[in-house]
Amino acid sequence: MALKYKLILASGSPRRVDLLNQAGIEPSRLMPMDIDETPKKSEHPRSLARRLSTEKAEAALAALKGDMTWKGSYILSADTVVAVGRRILGKAEFADEASASLYLLSGRSHWVYTGVCLVTPDRKIRQKIVETKVRFKRLSGFEIENYLASGQWRGKAGAYGIQGLAGTFVQKMVGSYTNVVGLPLYETILLLTGEGFDVHSRWAEG
């Protein structure tokens, strides 16, 4: 069966690619967008996730302008924000940043917000914001030190990836697990199918 539409993922995240693959979707193209992710003054974490996912999708759309190869494609973007209250924990690049985030998360609850933005072939913009509440157990200095040594915190919002070693830190979670990984599958598939993207016929291809 010939499938009409292509999907462009405005991200280079291997985790988001893996999640789409889990749903039977292979993006036709990856387009990581380099945008300024600095929060605005007093910006709520939820609003930041919404804004950044929209800006990434719009940047990809602008980059494809005039390229007939990708005319009629869907563009999907996402941005995940980790926060304690209104305090946003950025993507850790250095060990001291990661250490500070992990000590802050230790023994308390935090929120993970993912903004998902879909640009349809007729250039409509559809959005979803998904939130998950995660509680970490109290972490010992030994655990934090060894997690830092693993390197799995690097480039991750909140300095952890739940799909790796940090999954052992999670005491309780309310909401979507895939949201914490970086792309809430249920809501993403709902967006795609609601706008005419044929997800399920792809399953027959194996």
Side-chain angles (χ1 to χ4, degrees):
M1 177 180 177
L3 296 168
K4 184 177 178 182
Y5 294 115
K6 299 175 182 177
L7 177 69
I8 296 166
L9 179 62
S11 171
S13 167
R15 297 171 298 284
R16 293 189 177 120
V17 173
D18 287 346
L19 286 167
L20 286 174
N21 290 167
Q22 183 182 328
I25 300 171
E26 182 69 45
S28 300
R29 180 174 177 180
L30 302 182
M31 289 186 67
M33 291 290 105
D34 185 17
I35 65 169
D36 183 2
E37 299 188 9
T38 307
K40 295 181 178 179
K41 186 177 181 181
S42 301
E43 188 170 26
H44 191 280
R46 182 184 178 95
S47 301
L48 177 64
R50 179 190 296 275
R51 177 173 65 82
L52 293 182
S53 63
T54 303
E55 289 181 0
K56 289 177 181 179
E58 290 174 340
L61 180 61
L64 291 168
K65 187 176 181 180
D67 187 342
M68 298 305 292
T69 304
W70 300 100
K71 184 177 180 181
S73 297
Y74 290 81
I75 299 171
L76 179 70
S77 67
D79 193 86
T80 300
V81 175
V82 175
V84 176
R86 292 181 64 99
R87 180 174 175 179
I88 295 167
L89 304 183
K91 295 176 181 176
E93 299 297 339
F94 301 101
D96 58 342
E97 296 172 336
S99 178
S101 290
L102 292 168
Y103 274 108
L104 181 63
L105 295 174
S106 174
R108 71 195 322 172
S109 295
H110 62 276
W111 290 91
V112 180
Y113 303 89
T114 299
V116 181
C117 184
L118 179 69
V119 181
T120 68
D122 57 359
R123 299 308 177 238
K124 291 186 293 184
I125 292 180
R126 296 288 183 258
Q127 289 179 303
K128 283 276 186 184
I129 304 294
V130 181
E131 56 188 59
T132 302
K133 188 178 184 181
V134 182
R135 182 174 181 84
F136 270 17
K137 69 175 185 175
R138 188 164 298 281
L139 304 176
S140 68
F142 182 75
E143 285 174 308
I144 290 175
E145 181 181 334
N146 281 277
Y147 185 68
L148 293 174
S150 77
Q152 291 190 10
W153 50 271
R154 199 176 302 277
K156 305 282 199 317
Y160 78 93
I162 195 172
Q163 71 280 7
L165 296 171
T168 65
F169 299 162
V170 178
Q171 190 176 60
K172 184 178 181 181
M173 182 170 61
V174 180
S176 167
Y177 169 81
T178 55
N179 179 52
V180 184
V181 178
L183 187 70
L185 269 187
Y186 170 76
E187 291 81 3
T188 299
I189 299 307
L190 203 63
L191 273 180
L192 287 165
T193 56
E195 294 301 329
F197 185 84
D198 189 353
V199 173
H200 300 105
S201 291
R202 287 167 162 76
W203 293 3
E205 298 178 346

